[in-house]
Structure formats: C-alpha cells, structure tokens
Amino acid sequence: MISARDTSSADLTDFLQRMNVRRQKLVQGCLRRDRLDFAGHPDAKCLLLKAPRGFGKSVQIACCAQAAIERREHCIYLDLSSFRQESLSEAELIANAIATALSGPEPFDTDAGPRLKSIALRLLLSCKEPVAICLDGVADSTTTQSLLKTIALETPNSVRLAVSECLPGALASLSVLSNVVTIGARELSFTFDEAYSILPGEPGRAKTIFAATGGWPLLCALAGKLNASGDALVHMPDVQAYLDADVLAQAPQPIREFLTNSSWLEEITAEAAGYVFKNRDSSRKLAELASRHGLLTACADKPNRYEMNHALQKYLRIRFVEAHGARQSYFLKRIAFWHWRRKEYRLAIDAALRAHDHSWARQLTDEVLLDLALRQGEIEALAAWFTGIPRSNLFQIPSLAIGYAWVLYFSQRATEAQDLLASLQNFRVSISPQQEDPNGWADLVRAIGLATHDELQESDENCAAWVDRYGSVNPIGQAAAQTCRAFIAASGRNFDLFPKRISSATIFSGAIRHRYAFGWLAAARVQARLHVGDISAARSEIRRAKEDENVAYRRSPFVKGMMAAFELQVQAEDGSTIPDEKTVHDALEFAMKFGVTDVVWGTVRCAAETYIRRGEKTGAFSLLHRCRLLAQERGLKRLGILVRLGTEVFAMGTGTETALAAEPLPSGEDLQFLPSQNRALQAEIALLEASRFLRDGKSGLAERHARKALSNFSTVNDQRGEVRAHYTIATALYLIGQEKQALKRMVDAELKAQQLCAFMTLKNRRYFLRVICRKARVFLDRSTAEFSMTERPTRGMQANERRTEMSFAPIGQKQISVLQHAALGLSNKEIAVRMHVTEDTVKWHFRQILRGLRASNRTEAVVVANSLGLI
C-alpha cells in the first residue's frame, strides 16, 4: 500500500524532473545574454525580472539556471506557473525543492509543513558551495515574499536568487532591498544586434523592425515569423491578440483607458495628461503603469517624464480611433495648445499636423520659426512640417518661406532654396517696395546656404558682411553666421584661422544656447582632425560631442547622423574591425541626404573601402557611381572631382576595368575653390598620375609626381596623404634601385600612420600598389619589424590617452619614433638599423628628446612621453 507521504514525495520528484526538461527546452537555441545574468551583475544578491509578458523573463530565468549548472553550482530551478501538486503552497514548494537539492543522502520529512522553510534555510546557511535559486512566475505576494526576503537578507553571498514575477507588483517589497537588482523591460529588450540575429533578411529590414518594436523580444520574434514589416506589425491579428490578452489585460480597465489616452501625448507627463484629459490622479496612474505593470518607462534624465514602446503606442492609437475616432482631433488640438503655451513649439506643431490643423502657421513669428530652424536645428522635423503646409501659405507668412529655404539648403536642394528666396523677394517688392527684413533672416539663410552647396568663399564673405550689418540686432543669426565661418575654416583647411573662428562662434552660441550651432561646431572640430589625419584626436572629439549637453547629440537626429558619418570614417581608418552593415548604412543614409561635400566624400570613400575589404567590389563601385550622379544632380563640382579621382584610384587598386582612364584629369581651370582645397586636389591628381606611371613602368616619372603630391599634402597638413605619398615614393625608389632609401621611406610612412592611428590608409595604399605594380610586390610584402612591434601598444590605447594634437607635442615625430623603439628596450644601434639612419643620428635625436621632455635619461624620457600620451 502506498502512503500519502510516498505519493507527495513522488509528486515532488516528478515535478523537479519536469522542471529539468522545461529548462533544457527553454534554453535550447535561445540567445545567451550574460548582461542579464549574474555575470553582468556579479555583486547582486538577487536579480528581479519585472516586465510584461513577452519580454523573455522565462527564458532568462532558465538561462540563469543553465549558467549556474555550467559553473557547477547547486541549482534550484522552478517554473511556478506550471501544473503542480495542489497540496503544497508556493513557498512550501520552493522550500521543498531547496531541501531536496541540498540535503544529499540525508532524508527529510517532505510533509513537515511550515518547518520545511526552516530546514531549507538551515541547509542554505550550512552549504559551503555556491547556490543559485532560479524561480519563474512567482505569484504569492505574502508567504513567498517573506521566504525570499529572508533568503536575500540572511543567507551568505554565495546564495543568489533570480526571480521573475507572474503578476504585476507581486514582489514589490523584495524590489526595494539594496542588494536586489531589478531588470525591467528596458534591460530585457533586445539590442539591435540581438534582434538582427533572430530576424531573417537584410539589415535594413531588421533595423525597421527594431525601430518599430523597440526591441520587444516577442514582437521581434513575431515579426520574423509572420514576415511582417515594421509598419504592418501592429495590424497583424497575432500581434493584436497578444497585446490584448497577454499585455493589456493585466491592467485594470481604468488604467488601460488612461494608458490609451496617454499614447497620444507628444511627451507623457502627469501635467500634460492632467491638462489634456482632465485627470486628477495622472501622477499616480503613470507611476503605477511604470513600476507595477512595466508598460511605461521613466526617462533617466527626466524622472517626471515617461516613454512608451513605439509598437504599443501605435496599437493603442488604433484602438482609440476605433472607439473614439470623432474625439481624436479635439484631443490633438488640446495637446498642441498645451505645448504652445509652454513655448514647446516643435511638439505643438507635431500634434497640430496630426490633427490636420494648419492654423499654427499663422501664429508663428519669425523669431519662433527661425529659432526652431537655426537654434535648435530641427531639420528633419521642419521638412515634415513644410510638406503638410499648403504652398499658398508660404509667401503670405515670410518666416515660413525663409524656414523652408533653410530646410531645402540643408537637405542639399540648393537650387530650390535659391528659387524660393528669390520668389519671396519678388513677392515682397510687389506688395510693398519699402518692406524690409530688419533682422536679415533671408540674407543669412542665403549666405549660410552657399556653404552647404560648397561655395565656401562666397559664403564666408556673405556671412562676414551679414555680421557687420545685422549681427548687433540678431544674436541668434550672429551665432549661426560665426558657426558657418568656423566650419568653412575647417573644410577649407585654414588651420591658422580655425582656432580663432571656433572660439568666437562658441562664445556667441553659448550666450544664447544655440544648440544647432554647437552641433556644427563639434562637427567642425572633428572635420579638422580628419583633414589633418589624426584619427585618435577625431575619435576624442566625437566622444566629447556625445557627452556635451549643449551639442544635444541625444535630442537632435541631425547631429546624431552627422556623428555617425564621422564615426564610420574613424572606425574604418582604425582598421581593428570592419564596420558592420548598420554602421555603414546609418552613415550613408545621413551623408547622402544631408551631408556637405567633405562629409559625403569621406563617408562614401570609407564605405567603398569597407565593401572592398569584404570582397564586395560591385557594391563599392555602384556606391561610387551613385555618388558621382548625386554630385552632378546637385551641382557639387568639388565632390564630382573627388569621386572621379577616387573611383580611378579604387579601379587601379583592385584591377577593375573602368572608362575613367580615358577621361582627362581636372585642369587648373577646374580648380576654382579655396586655396587649400585646390592644393589638396592637386596632391590627389599628382598621386594618381604617379600611380599611372608605376603601372606603366615609368618609375622616375612616378617618383617625381609622388614627390609633388607629398609637397602639396604637406602644405595643407594632410598627414594621411603624406603617408600615401611616402609609400608611393618608396615603391618608385625600390624600382629605380635605391632600396635603402626606399626602406627608409617605408619606415617613415609606417611610423607616421602608427602615430596617427591611420592604419587602413597605410594598408590600403600598400594593397593598391601591389596590384598597380607587380614588380614591387616583393618589396611591398616585406614585414617591417618597426611597424609590427609598435602598432600594438597604440591600438590598445584609449583615444583620451593620446594628445589630441600631435603638433602640440614638445618633441617632433622623428623623436617620438625613436622613443617608441627605446620603449621596446632597443639599443641605439638597433634603433639605427630599424630606422635606416646612422647611430649618431639616433644619439642626436635623444639629445633633442631629453631637452624637449626635460628628462635626465632615456628611461625617464620614456616615462614622461608615455604620461603625455606620445607613445
């Protein structure tokens, strides 16, 4: 006869066996996300997972258990939502499982009732080995919480908990303990890389779905399974059924209605919800939706503001229209008025346009609209707004026409912008010949617009004239004009004037919090570093821009796009990794739509190099052809020349047939740009001609043109260009028979590239020269010890560990190269051999080093140079 105790014991054994099978199936083929495990939170006593259904809490708890088993820890894994023996409470089941796992061969009474908790605790206290208790679907908010709090507070640190709640708010008291880490919906959401790994198709489609779902795991999985696009996802029956039954049904009806209403808010705050929907307890409801139900997320920088998942927001708006379609316009207008009275004009206009209400346009003053355009830089938002404005309204409200012209210039539609401003002027004259623009907005937009169209000389002159005439009465315009002139100095490689221009623009912009100007000033600093070739310094400037609140990197899509374009160039040049498809796509998307000439070409060139490194030559040349057509369409002459030269270089360096070789190279008459820009183009032309001569076996002519290129690159301080020229000269010298001089040139190029962190410039040039000149392959394939030994330390440095300007160093680049070898423990004689100089030359360099660094010996010099970030 089987006793009740035997039956209970057998039921528990069966349940634990089922849990083992469940855990194995849940982790099979799933994403391992260590950032959500104890590996990512080594000091946590308890990981508490709180999020709506569909965020992968069950899978993550199973993964925590699996990781513990792999670490050979004692592991108790329970899914408390599974069918189990009804006679045991949730807390008793947990205690039973702990006792079963830790008791070993010693028997215990499975029917001990309340005493089971004491037995479990005693076993946890006496256990010498780590224990992981992983509990999924905890629902009992009283007895279970008491047990879990006791474990969290009274057991050794070797005992750790991973817990997910079944019902919203079930474990509120546990979450407030200091050693408990709460992992919410934001943390449980997929990153883009995680979403991409489970989504079939191209990265572009994955990006769209990721943006639409906000990384909501189940929605990403459904999108992949249903082959749904991001826009269509919330219209799919399976998705709607999930949101209704598994997400929204967990909240009471009044809370659901409040959430649905809040989905229409441009910014979800208690004040906005209270005003628009006339709710008295908005603050409490928002807090409950965030802390208890996980359907809202509090903003980190603004605790009184909440964010909603995009897919959920879109679905709730659909539900609202179905139930209260007639009231949609009414609420949107209240939202618009709420933001208007707070002078949050961008948000007000967004809401008004969704209500199909254009009355806001008549209320915009010049100051308001142009503040949005010039100070806050809302280029993409303004482009959307003007699309919805009837054309007839533009000239009736001059500020609209001027703002639209600004948007057109920065969207690289300069011809349309010029026509619009000319039409506005004619309209003003026809209405009132005496009517003037006292603040000079139209003239300012025209002056700055010339710079976006690469007419930098005219833009600089017009901006200077504008400042003289209007600067004292228009501080916002003054800051914009000064910022434009600073960017022109960077783009024009006028590095003597650049610091003064940057300083002046920063002062004017800081006085009026000119956010858009700060974004362009940051871009100018990065562009200047890239023109010089100091990749480490460019990386530092990008990082500084992201952290600078004035730059508004997180708030401004335009600034974020600009930095993405620069980051691609830095990442591609560093060469430690090949940029991923998303990085390339984001950078190209911005550059081709909004970028000025230097931004477009820098981004396209790096993207083409990246494609070639991946073996995608067709993609590279298709991109170059597209860029050339874009230059022709927009009338950007310098961009056209850069693409034409770059395309032939890529073609020669990859052995690709192209019709470009038959086209004449640009002549002096074609180079009608700023002086430094002309010299930079002359350098590129000379280097291309040198490559042609190498290909044709004319080494002497190749050397002559490469030296000409080097001289021009040095004049404009283009150090990456100097690296390419040095390597080309070295190749020509080798073919002439001057191998020692060739090796010296090679070492110079490699050390300069190492100092700049411009590794891909060097490697690409070496690779292209191997293809162009087969006779020099033996020479080019030689691995110099200097480069291979000194490359690694610099690559491992953080950008902020190096000086941002090598020109500010107290010693020259040759001395830095000598110190880099000395840091490796080499003697003067060994350094001389590797640098292909005499030992006396090395000694002379050391005398300069000791004087410049104020060091007493070479060991101290190495220490000082390392502290300054020079080596």
Side-chain angles (χ1 to χ4, degrees):
M1 182 175 180
I2 301 176
S3 68
R5 175 178 298 181
D6 292 337
T7 303
S8 176
S9 178
D11 286 343
L12 179 62
T13 301
D14 290 343
F15 183 75
L16 295 178
Q17 289 175 347
R18 285 165 40 212
M19 291 299 98
N20 187 49
V21 174
R22 179 183 285 255
R23 172 184 53 76
Q24 291 174 346
K25 290 186 176 180
L26 281 173
V27 300
Q28 187 174 6
C30 74
L31 290 175
R32 290 293 293 269
R33 301 195 282 172
D34 289 342
R35 61 188 174 87
L36 303 177
D37 195 358
F38 287 110
H41 302 278
D43 298 326
K45 176 70 171 179
C46 174
L47 301 180
L48 178 57
L49 279 59
K50 300 180 65 174
R53 294 179 182 176
F55 274 86
K57 300 191 299 296
S58 295
V59 172
Q60 191 55 43
I61 292 295
C63 286
C64 287
Q66 183 65 31
I69 292 172
E70 292 172 359
R71 294 192 298 265
R72 299 184 180 279
E73 298 178 3
H74 289 294
C75 179
I76 296 94
Y77 167 75
L78 300 175
D79 184 345
L80 299 167
S81 65
S82 176
F83 173 80
R84 66 176 188 270
Q85 183 182 356
E86 295 180 359
S87 60
L88 286 177
S89 69
E90 193 173 72
E92 290 171 340
L93 178 60
I94 295 170
N96 239 320
I98 294 171
T100 301
L102 301 182
S103 62
E106 298 181 9
F108 68 93
D109 187 357
T110 58
D111 289 335
R115 285 197 304 110
L116 265 176
K117 300 170 196 169
S118 300
I119 295 171
L121 287 170
R122 186 175 69 250
L123 290 169
L124 289 172
L125 288 168
S126 61
C127 186
K128 304 298 184 184
E129 299 172 350
V131 180
I133 304 171
C134 303
L135 307 174
D136 185 23
V138 175
D140 192 332
S141 61
T142 54
T143 57
T144 306
Q145 277 202 75
S146 176
L147 174 62
L148 297 182
K149 283 180 67 176
T150 302
I151 294 174
L153 293 171
E154 299 178 12
T155 59
N157 290 334
S158 58
V159 178
R160 296 189 290 186
L161 291 157
V163 183
S164 77
E165 58 183 17
C166 177
L167 299 175
L171 298 171
S173 64
L174 185 64
S175 64
V176 299
L177 300 181
S178 60
N179 54 358
V180 174
V181 174
T182 299
I183 299 176
R186 177 179 290 169
E187 294 80 16
L188 287 165
S189 296
F190 285 155
T191 63
F192 173 78
D193 290 338
E194 290 168 345
Y196 181 42
S197 69
I198 70 166
L199 289 170
E202 296 298 320
R205 178 173 178 270
K207 180 183 177 183
T208 302
I209 292 173
F210 178 74
T213 62
W216 193 316
L218 186 61
L219 292 181
C220 290
L222 285 172
K225 181 179 179 181
L226 300 172
N227 196 27
S229 67
D231 293 335
L233 185 63
V234 295
H235 297 283
M236 305 295 286
D238 288 355
V239 174
Q240 293 186 347
Y242 158 65
L243 292 174
D244 278 333
D246 290 338
V247 178
L248 299 173
Q250 302 299 312
Q253 179 63 23
I255 293 293
R256 289 204 302 272
E257 291 181 358
F258 178 80
L259 181 68
T260 303
N261 290 341
S262 298
S263 68
W264 287 98
L265 296 175
E266 298 295 329
E267 287 188 349
I268 302 175
T269 64
E271 294 82 2
Y275 174 82
V276 175
F277 304 109
K278 302 178 182 179
N279 289 116
R280 295 181 178 179
D281 56 349
S282 298
S283 182
R284 179 188 63 79
K285 289 179 179 178
L286 289 174
E288 183 176 347
L289 282 164
S291 62
R292 182 178 178 85
H293 300 284
L295 298 175
L296 294 176
T297 304
C299 296
D301 54 340
K302 296 182 180 178
N304 61 335
R305 178 181 163 188
Y306 296 86
E307 294 177 345
M308 186 183 302
N309 177 272
H310 296 308
L312 178 61
Q313 185 178 44
K314 188 174 182 179
Y315 176 64
L316 289 173
R317 289 181 178 180
I318 293 172
R319 292 288 302 272
F320 180 93
V321 172
E322 291 173 352
H324 314 288
R327 305 191 70 195
Q328 174 186 352
S329 180
Y330 166 75
F331 282 124
L332 285 171
K333 289 179 181 180
R334 285 187 63 83
I335 292 170
F337 186 71
W338 161 258
H339 289 297
W340 192 276
R341 64 190 293 201
R342 292 164 59 87
K343 297 184 178 182
E344 297 167 346
Y345 301 114
R346 181 182 66 81
L347 299 175
I349 296 171
D350 282 343
L353 285 176
R354 287 197 285 122
H356 303 289
D357 177 13
H358 299 288
S359 61
W360 59 270
R362 300 184 184 90
Q363 302 175 44
L364 278 181
T365 63
D366 287 359
E367 181 181 358
V368 169
L369 180 65
L370 295 166
D371 175 81
L372 287 167
L374 276 68
R375 190 173 72 85
Q376 299 186 39
E378 298 287 354
I379 299 300
E380 290 184 287
L382 284 166
W385 298 344
F386 285 118
T387 301
I389 298 174
R391 190 78 176 180
S392 59
N393 285 3
L394 285 176
F395 295 140
Q396 296 173 6
I397 308 173
S399 59
L400 291 182
I402 295 171
Y404 191 29
W406 177 267
V407 171
L408 290 172
Y409 272 125
F410 280 89
S411 299
Q412 290 301 320
R413 296 159 63 184
T415 302
E416 294 178 61
Q418 291 164 0
D419 291 344
L420 182 61
L421 290 175
S423 298
L424 173 64
Q425 179 62 25
N426 293 335
F427 178 79
R428 278 177 163 171
V429 171
S430 66
I431 297 299
S432 173
Q434 288 76 35
Q435 185 179 3
E436 294 184 0
D437 180 5
N439 292 305
W441 287 120
D443 289 344
L444 177 66
V445 169
R446 186 181 293 107
I448 294 176
L450 289 168
T452 69
H453 197 244
D454 207 38
E455 300 173 76
L456 301 184
Q457 184 68 45
E458 297 87 340
S459 177
D460 192 51
E461 293 172 356
N462 286 354
C463 283
W466 187 96
V467 169
D468 290 340
R469 183 175 180 183
Y470 298 105
S472 60
V473 297
N474 189 341
I476 292 178
Q478 166 92 310
Q482 299 290 5
T483 297
C484 181
R485 300 192 75 194
F487 193 87
I488 289 170
S491 185
R493 302 170 185 267
N494 194 338
F495 300 122
D496 292 334
L497 186 60
F498 178 67
K500 180 180 178 181
R501 289 274 178 89
I502 277 283
S503 176
S504 176
T506 301
I507 291 171
F508 283 107
S509 299
I512 59 168
R513 291 185 57 79
H514 197 325
R515 291 176 181 170
Y516 191 50
F518 276 108
W520 274 100
L521 290 174
R525 290 188 178 95
V526 178
Q527 187 66 73
R529 307 302 190 195
L530 290 173
H531 276 326
V532 170
D534 194 336
I535 302 305
S536 180
R539 186 188 296 112
S540 296
E541 292 290 356
I542 293 171
R543 187 187 66 252
R544 189 177 297 114
K546 289 183 175 182
E547 296 171 353
D548 188 344
E549 180 66 20
N550 288 321
V551 174
Y553 172 80
R554 293 176 179 82
R555 296 189 302 273
S556 172
F558 193 91
V559 174
K560 187 174 292 186
M562 182 91 74
M563 291 304 152
F566 288 139
E567 278 188 298
L568 172 66
Q569 297 179 51
V570 169
Q571 186 175 338
E573 187 64 82
D574 174 77
S576 55
T577 59
I578 299 178
D580 59 47
E581 188 62 34
K582 182 177 183 298
T583 300
V584 175
H585 177 272
D586 289 349
L588 283 174
E589 186 176 42
F590 173 85
M592 301 294 264
K593 188 174 182 180
F594 298 112
V596 294
T597 291
D598 291 308
V599 174
V600 175
W601 174 237
T603 305
V604 168
R605 178 181 54 78
C606 286
E609 290 176 353
T610 299
Y611 290 149
I612 289 172
R613 289 173 66 188
R614 295 177 183 165
E616 303 172 11
K617 287 200 300 183
T618 301
F621 285 100
S622 295
L623 175 61
L624 291 167
H625 181 64
R626 175 186 163 200
C627 187
R628 198 175 190 197
L629 292 176
L630 181 144
Q632 293 172 357
E633 176 188 336
R634 296 177 180 174
L636 299 173
K637 296 180 181 179
R638 188 163 64 95
L639 178 60
I641 293 174
L642 288 168
V643 180
R644 185 259 178 272
L645 298 175
T647 302
E648 184 172 352
V649 170
F650 281 119
M652 292 176 65
T654 57
T656 305
E657 294 293 331
T658 175
L660 284 176
E663 295 184 12
L665 291 174
S667 65
E669 295 179 356
D670 297 319
L671 305 183
Q672 301 296 321
F673 311 108
L674 293 177
S676 292
Q677 292 176 333
N678 292 334
R679 293 297 291 268
L681 289 172
Q682 289 167 352
E684 295 292 349
I685 292 169
L687 196 60
L688 176 57
E689 289 183 314
S691 299
R692 286 178 171 182
F693 285 127
L694 281 176
R695 179 196 59 194
D696 298 338
K698 301 177 181 179
S699 304
L701 289 172
E703 183 202 4
R704 184 186 309 169
H705 280 81
R707 288 184 183 277
K708 180 181 177 181
L710 177 62
S711 175
N712 283 322
F713 281 131
S714 299
T715 300
V716 297
N717 201 19
D718 183 346
Q719 297 184 77
R720 285 189 290 176
E722 291 177 33
V723 169
R724 292 186 290 135
H726 275 303
Y727 230 88
T728 307
I729 294 171
T731 304
L733 288 171
Y734 170 77
L735 293 173
I736 292 171
Q738 300 180 22
E739 184 171 353
K740 183 176 181 180
Q741 289 299 316
L743 283 171
K744 187 176 184 302
R745 287 280 181 177
M746 177 185 284
V747 171
D748 286 344
E750 290 175 341
L751 288 174
K752 181 181 284 288
Q754 186 265 336
Q755 291 162 1
L756 297 169
C757 290
F759 300 112
M760 290 315 300
T761 287
L762 179 70
K763 292 183 179 180
N764 286 336
R765 192 61 186 166
R766 182 192 302 163
Y767 174 80
F768 285 179
L769 287 170
R770 289 180 74 259
V771 176
I772 292 169
C773 187
R774 295 177 179 272
K775 293 181 180 179
R777 283 190 173 184
V778 174
F779 170 71
L780 294 167
D781 286 342
R782 294 179 63 167
S783 176
T784 58
E786 292 88 350
F787 185 61
S788 61
M789 294 185 70
T790 59
E791 178 181 4
R792 288 191 297 272
T794 303
R795 279 196 180 199
M797 289 182 182
Q798 296 297 321
N800 59 359
E801 292 175 352
R802 296 183 69 244
R803 296 185 74 91
T804 59
E805 279 282 8
M806 294 300 295
S807 59
F808 292 163
I811 56 176
Q813 291 186 354
K814 287 286 187 182
Q815 282 85 47
I816 292 174
S817 301
V818 170
L819 270 181
Q820 287 171 328
H821 290 88
L824 298 173
L826 302 180
S827 65
N828 287 351
K829 184 176 182 179
E830 290 171 322
I831 295 173
V833 171
R834 295 197 176 193
M835 293 188 67
H836 301 280
V837 296
T838 65
E839 190 172 352
D840 286 339
T841 300
V842 174
K843 292 178 181 178
W844 182 87
H845 281 307
F846 266 117
R847 288 195 293 272
Q848 304 304 310
I849 289 168
L850 297 179
R851 184 181 300 112
L853 298 181
R854 299 181 181 179
S856 57
N857 54 58
R858 61 192 291 162
T859 302
E860 184 181 349
V862 169
V863 172
V864 173
N866 188 56
S867 68
L868 293 174
L870 299 177
I871 61 174

